[in-house]
Every structure is written in C-alpha cells, then in structure tokens.
Amino acid sequence: MSDETIISQLKKSFLFRGLPDKVLIELGRKATKRKLAKDAVLMRRGDVGDSLFMIVQGWFKIVAEDANGNELAINQTGPGETIGEMALLDQAPRSATVIASSDAEVLELKQDAFYEILDQRPDLAMELIRSFSSRLRFSTTYIQKAIEWSQKISAGDYSFIENTLTMSQAEGTDEDKASQLLSAFFQMVHNVKDREDQLKKQVENLILQIDETRRRQEFEEITSTDFYADLKEQAKKLRAQRAAQQQNEK
Amino acid sequence: MSSGKIISIHSFRGGTGKSNTAANLAALVALAGKRVGVVDTDIQSPGIHVLFGLDENKMGKTLNDFLHGKCAISEVAFNIGEKAIDAEGRAKLAGKNLWLFPCSIRGREISQIIREGYDVNRLNEGFQTILKELNLDYLFIDTHPGLNEETLLSIAISDVLIIILRPDNQDLQGTAVTVDIARSLDVPNLILMVNKAVPKYDFNNIKKQIEDTFKASVAGVLPLSFDLADNASKDLFSLRYPDHDWSKALRGVADVILAVK
Ligand SMILES: Nc1ncnc2c1ncn2[C@@H]1O[C@H](COP(=O)(O)OP(=O)(O)OP(=O)(O)O)[C@@H](O)[C@H]1O
Ligand SMILES: [Mg+2]
C-alpha cells in the first residue's frame, strides 16, 4: 500500500483528519498486514477491541444477530474503508461482528503503536482533542436541532423544513451517521407534510359544484311528460291507500 | 295490501355499486330476522343475480316471463336461504327469509323486452303482490341507472329511496336531478349513500358537504376497496368479510333502514 493511499484512507476517519501527513505515514508504517480468507471473522461483537483496521482489498459484512441468533448482515464495507478506530482510544467492547465476505487483506494498527506516536508528539494530542470537541459540538447541535424541530412538528409548524434540506445536504458530505439519519428523518417529515398538504387540497377540491340551470332543465324535461303526470297521480293514490291500510291494521 | 316497505336503490350513473349494495343490504336485513325480497328491475343489464350465485342453469322463471304475462310473480321467486347458500358469505343466509326475483339474462329475451316494451303498471302490481303474498317486511328494488320509466316507477312507489353516488362531480349533477324528482314524487324517506370514496379523503368532510348540498342525510360513506372489487360480485362481501370497513359502513346503512318507521 502506498503512503498516499494510507494517508487518504486514514483521513476518512474524523480522528486522523487533522493530523499532518508525516504522522499518518508513520502510523501506516507501524501497521501490520493481515490476510483473511472468505468467512474469517475479523472481530466479534463484545470482544475487547484494541486495534484499527484499514481494508486494503476484499469485502466485509457487518453483522448483528436477530432474536433467534440468526446472522443478519446490516452493512458491508470494502477497500479504502477503516473499521474500529474508536478502539484506539477506549477499550469498549466491539459493537458489531465483522466477517470477511471474500478473501481480504487489511492493515492492522495496534493501540500500542498509536500511543507510541502520541508519546513522541504531544502536540498530536491537542489535535485529537480538537477533532473530538468539534465532533461533539456537531452531535450536540444535531441533538438540539432534533429536539427543537420535534417540538415544532408536534405544534404543526413545518416552516423550518425549507432550510433543513440544504443544511443536511451540506453536512451530508461528512460521513456522520447521525447527520444521515437526521437528514432521512426530516426528509420523511417533509414527505408527511407534503402528503398532508395534498390531502387538504384534495378535500377542498371536492367542493361540489352543481350546474343549477342544467339541473332545472333536466328536471323539467322529465316531469313534463304525460307518463310523469300519470305516475305522480298513481303514486299519490297508492300512498293514500297504504296509509289507510296501516291505519286499519292498528 | 301489506305494510312492508319498498326500498329502491338507485343511482343516476352506472357502476356506482347499486347491485352490490342492494344484495348486501337485503342480506343484512334478512340476517336481522326480517322477511325480505329483492327485485332486479335492471332489465336491460341485469346484474344482481351474480351476487346470489345464479346462472342461466339455476335460473327458473324470470321477471320477463311475468311481465309478458307468461307466469305469476310468485313463480319467479328464488329462495336464497334454501338454494343459494353455496358460498362462504351466502351460507350465513341458510334458513333466512330472502327471495330474489331475477331478470332474464338470455340475450334474446332482453332484446325482446327492450324492443316491445312492457306495461310498467304490471310491474307495480307485481311489487304489491310480492309484498302481500310473501308477507314481506322489506322489498328491495335494484334499478337501472338513469331515469327511465321503470326507474321512475320504482322511485314513485318507494317508501325509502337510497340514492348512491360516488364523490365525483358528474355523479353529483345527476344526483341533484334525482333528488328533485324524488321530492316532487313525495318519497317519504330519502337517503343518500356515498360509495367508492377514495380512502385518503376525509369521509366526514364528504358526508357534510353532500348533506349540505342536498339537504338530505347521508347514511354512509363507503370506501373504494380493492378487496371488494376483487370479490368480483361472486359472494356477499359484507357477510363474508364482516370486519371490513366497507361492511361496517354498510351495516350502518342497514341500521338506518331498519329504523325507518
Ligand atoms: N366500494 C367499492 N370498491 C371497489 N369496487 C366496488 C365498490 N363497490 C362496487 N364495486 C365494483 O364496481 C362494479 C360495479 O358494481 P355494481 O354492479 O354493484 O354497480 P351497479 O351500480 O349495480 O352497476 P350498473 O349500473 O352497471 O348496474 C363491480 O365490479 C363491483 O365489484
Ligand atoms: Mg347493477
């Protein structure tokens, strides 16, 4: 793997985005190559994670288990992607199982190697903190917005939507899952609103219109015949008879 | 003369669901323990027999025979509770008092009656005889769309007229004329029923608009339903699928009929 490839690959992770290229090259050199056969498990959900993987070639599926213990592929990832970067900083258990879906090759960067570089270059720690706080602010802003918008929606106010779409598009370039989710969510809200508008319009469209002139004309046409006059007379008699009949029954 | 009620089911335009409504309403009222007759007066394009599973082989004497003076009206009566319980919905009518008076579905006989015409008074006599002889509580009349002579007759003599319309401006115009005619003929009970309402509309809004327009009550707004269309008039939908929205709304209409004094 060339240095450039490693640089561009690491830069996809928010963690490394702000670091100088020189440092990234160094990190890349500390990484070790691993080959995996198809169906080999790269990591298991719940394992303690202490390394990051860069996919050189091949594909991986990220799987969860359903209630019955069946494997459920929830995502897939391939060359150029990075898996498990948070493990370099905390020792939280892996959040999902990752399995090679083809023969594959990865570069593994161990936590130790990462710490070694941090020891040598304390200024990098500052850079990392900056990345984290900007990401944190980003998430918090989203959460605040989400709360604010939810409140507006429940009050029937959709006026913020116009601004939202451009905003989520702009920030959608950041590979932040939260932003994608929110953007999808508000797109949905947008659709619901469209449908509501549509519905209002259609119910209004149903305003019934009767051509009163035509109504009178047709009525006169039908009622001006002899047949109709007879019928009316007969119907009257018949009703009178039946009323009398019912009177008698009582 | 009997005190049974004549309920005419009419619509100005075709295909509104008259036959399905008439057959299902008659069945619901029969299920409620009433003695019920159903007459198909759509001589030009009969349809209601299909809902009761009748075909040319099963059909005996028809209304055409009666109108041509070839038989008595009582001979036309087809006992549904005995002879048409061959489908899941209709099976519920076993032992109930429900009779159908079908029209001929033979092309030759249809063209003959259209060509030669018939005496509408005889049709009226037929209705009165059925009411009396079978001691009916209700006689439902399924009609031909539009306002031809036999339809005007059935409107004129009905105790309850149910006008079916779709929520559509073309149906509205014709319904307006029919409502005027019904009032001119002093029909004692005028009921509107909306069928084939697209579910995305607000049904209460439709009901209100139509009631305001015609100053008459809407007994039900029944949804346009893929399931009902899929039933293809093969069975009595409201008996077969009693929990369906269409069936529920139709039971509301049946209740209105049963409550008419
Ligand atoms: N609510 C509904 N949703 C969907 N399809 C319906 C509904 N009501 C009736 N239909 C269908 O519409 C067609 C016409 O119904 P039906 O024969 O009862 O109407 P009609 O008014 O008697 O017609 P015609 O004027 O030809 O005698 C049938 O195919 C029937 O299955
Ligand atoms: Mg019909």
Side-chain angles (χ1 to χ4, degrees):
Chain A
M1 217 179 188
S2 75
D3 288 345
E4 284 83 66
T5 325
I6 290 184
I7 291 171
S8 74
Q9 196 159 348
L10 284 175
K11 279 201 166 166
K12 280 192 184 167
S13 162
F14 81 95
L15 204 54
F16 303 113
R17 197 165 299 151
L19 302 189
D21 289 359
K22 250 178 63 193
V23 176
L24 296 179
I25 291 170
E26 222 174 300
L27 273 173
R29 295 207 175 125
K30 286 189 186 291
T32 52
K33 197 183 276 182
R34 251 178 78 182
K35 284 185 189 278
L36 290 102
K38 180 172 186 293
D39 294 330
V41 175
L42 183 65
M43 62 178 75
R44 237 177 237 296
R45 183 189 147 93
D47 286 354
V48 175
D50 62 354
S51 55
L52 154 161
F53 299 97
M54 289 170 267
I55 304 173
V56 181
Q57 61 181 27
W59 291 86
F60 290 87
K61 54 184 175 184
I62 301 178
V63 303
E65 277 180 10
D66 70 9
N68 301 322
N70 300 316
E71 190 181 273
L72 217 66
I74 52 178
N75 208 343
Q76 82 163 357
T77 179
E81 301 297 326
T82 299
I83 306 174
E85 73 257 46
M86 291 300 281
L88 295 182
L89 298 164
D90 59 19
Q91 242 110 38
R94 299 290 192 189
S95 58
T97 300
V98 179
I99 299 172
S101 46
S102 67
D103 290 345
E105 189 181 319
V106 296
L107 286 178
E108 179 173 14
L109 180 64
K110 290 271 187 203
Q111 197 182 46
D112 298 347
F114 182 59
Y115 282 178
E116 236 169 72
I117 292 186
L118 276 189
D119 282 346
Q120 292 158 12
R121 298 274 310 263
D123 57 313
L124 290 186
M126 243 359 258
E127 195 49 57
L128 284 174
I129 289 170
R130 226 169 269 139
S131 309
F132 266 102
S133 65
S134 99
R135 185 177 165 108
L136 195 61
R137 187 168 307 121
F138 183 67
S139 309
T140 317
T141 309
Y142 255 96
I143 291 166
Q144 277 167 350
K145 276 272 166 255
I147 293 172
E148 186 191 317
W149 290 340
S150 308
Q151 284 166 346
K152 284 191 174 169
I153 294 166
S154 48
D157 171 8
Y158 296 89
S159 58
F160 61 89
I161 295 271
E162 263 86 88
N163 313 327
T164 321
L165 284 183
T166 44
M167 178 175 154
S168 56
Q169 265 154 19
E171 291 179 352
T173 51
D174 192 308
E175 282 192 346
D176 189 275
K177 292 280 184 267
S179 113
Q180 280 174 17
L181 179 73
L182 274 178
S183 152
F185 176 71
F186 286 107
Q187 181 63 50
M188 180 190 80
V189 172
H190 197 249
N191 295 345
V192 170
K193 178 181 184 284
D194 274 357
R195 233 178 301 144
E196 226 174 66
D197 284 351
Q198 193 71 14
L199 203 67
K200 271 188 209 138
K201 226 185 295 160
Q202 277 159 346
V203 171
E204 278 160 22
N205 276 349
L206 253 184
I207 286 184
L208 309 168
Q209 287 193 330
I210 291 173
D211 179 341
E212 294 296 338
T213 317
R214 230 181 87 201
R215 179 180 182 172
R216 260 192 313 278
Q217 274 170 4
E218 281 170 21
F219 178 79
E220 265 150 36
E221 243 168 63
I222 293 166
T223 54
S224 62
T225 62
D226 289 345
F227 172 82
Y228 189 86
D230 270 5
L231 183 69
K232 192 166 168 147
E233 206 44 49
Q234 270 186 38
K236 207 173 183 177
K237 270 190 218 146
L238 198 69
R239 286 192 211 290
Q241 275 173 13
R242 294 179 73 188
Q245 158 96 18
Q246 277 171 16
Q247 208 55 42
N248 286 344
E249 278 171 8
K250 277 179 197 160
Chain B
M1 219 172 269
S2 142
S3 62
K5 293 193 169 55
I6 295 180
I7 321 274
S8 291
I9 317 283
H10 182 65
S11 69
F12 188 78
R13 291 174 75 219
T16 52
K18 292 179 294 298
S19 298
N20 273 272
T21 302
N24 280 279
L25 278 178
L28 290 172
V29 171
L31 271 185
K34 304 294 181 186
R35 300 178 65 84
V36 181
V38 188
V39 187
D40 191 354
T41 62
D42 192 352
I43 296 166
Q44 308 173 27
S45 48
I48 200 166
H49 60 279
V50 180
L51 285 130
F52 291 108
L54 255 75
D55 56 20
E56 217 167 319
N57 298 326
K58 276 183 121 181
M59 219 179 261
K61 292 269 188 308
T62 63
L63 196 69
N64 303 51
D65 297 322
F66 166 72
L67 291 173
H68 288 313
K70 290 189 203 151
C71 72
I73 187 74
S74 56
E75 292 174 71
V76 180
F78 186 91
N79 190 326
I80 299 297
E82 274 177 17
K83 296 196 278 189
I85 47 179
D86 53 344
E88 197 182 322
R90 288 198 296 271
K92 298 183 181 168
L93 292 171
K96 298 293 171 191
N97 298 305
L98 178 58
W99 294 271
L100 174 67
F101 297 81
C103 286
S104 171
I105 49 178
R106 293 196 172 90
R108 198 171 41 80
E109 292 179 6
I110 294 175
S111 57
Q112 183 194 358
I113 202 155
I114 293 175
R115 209 170 48 241
E116 296 173 9
Y118 62 90
D119 182 2
V120 274
N121 284 317
R122 184 158 168 84
L123 183 61
N124 184 26
E125 283 160 25
F127 294 154
Q128 307 305 331
T129 310
I130 298 167
L131 279 169
K132 203 160 43 188
E133 287 190 357
L134 289 171
N135 192 22
L136 295 183
D137 297 307
Y138 296 95
L139 180 62
F140 286 85
I141 303 179
D142 184 19
T143 63
H144 185 70
L147 290 167
N148 61 16
E149 290 191 356
E150 66 265 19
T151 301
L152 284 172
L153 171 77
S154 69
I155 294 176
I157 59 167
S158 56
D159 298 291
V160 180
L161 173 64
I162 302 180
I163 305 177
I164 304 183
L165 68 156
R166 288 160 295 204
D168 171 299
N169 275 307
Q170 289 194 59
D171 276 19
L172 252 121
Q173 185 71 31
T175 301
V177 178
T178 314
V179 166
D180 294 344
I181 296 281
R183 294 209 164 113
S184 148
L185 290 171
D186 300 315
V187 174
N189 300 283
L190 176 64
I191 296 174
L192 302 174
M193 187 192 113
V194 178
N195 189 27
K196 302 193 175 180
V198 178
K200 70 187 171 190
Y201 291 132
D202 176 358
F203 283 15
N204 286 326
N205 180 299
I206 292 178
K207 179 173 148 83
K208 186 170 179 306
Q209 282 198 60
I210 292 181
E211 287 184 337
D212 290 350
T213 306
F214 295 119
K215 309 280 176 285
S217 76
V218 170
V221 178
L222 281 63
L224 176 70
S225 155
F226 181 81
D227 302 326
L228 182 54
D230 193 38
N231 176 55
S233 303
K234 284 195 300 283
D235 194 5
L236 296 172
F237 188 87
S238 67
L239 267 52
R240 183 157 188 168
Y241 306 103
D243 295 329
H244 194 282
D245 282 347
W246 191 86
S247 311
K248 285 183 194 161
L250 193 72
R251 280 203 296 280
V253 180
D255 290 342
V256 170
I257 292 171
L258 288 167
V260 168
K261 287 277 173 312

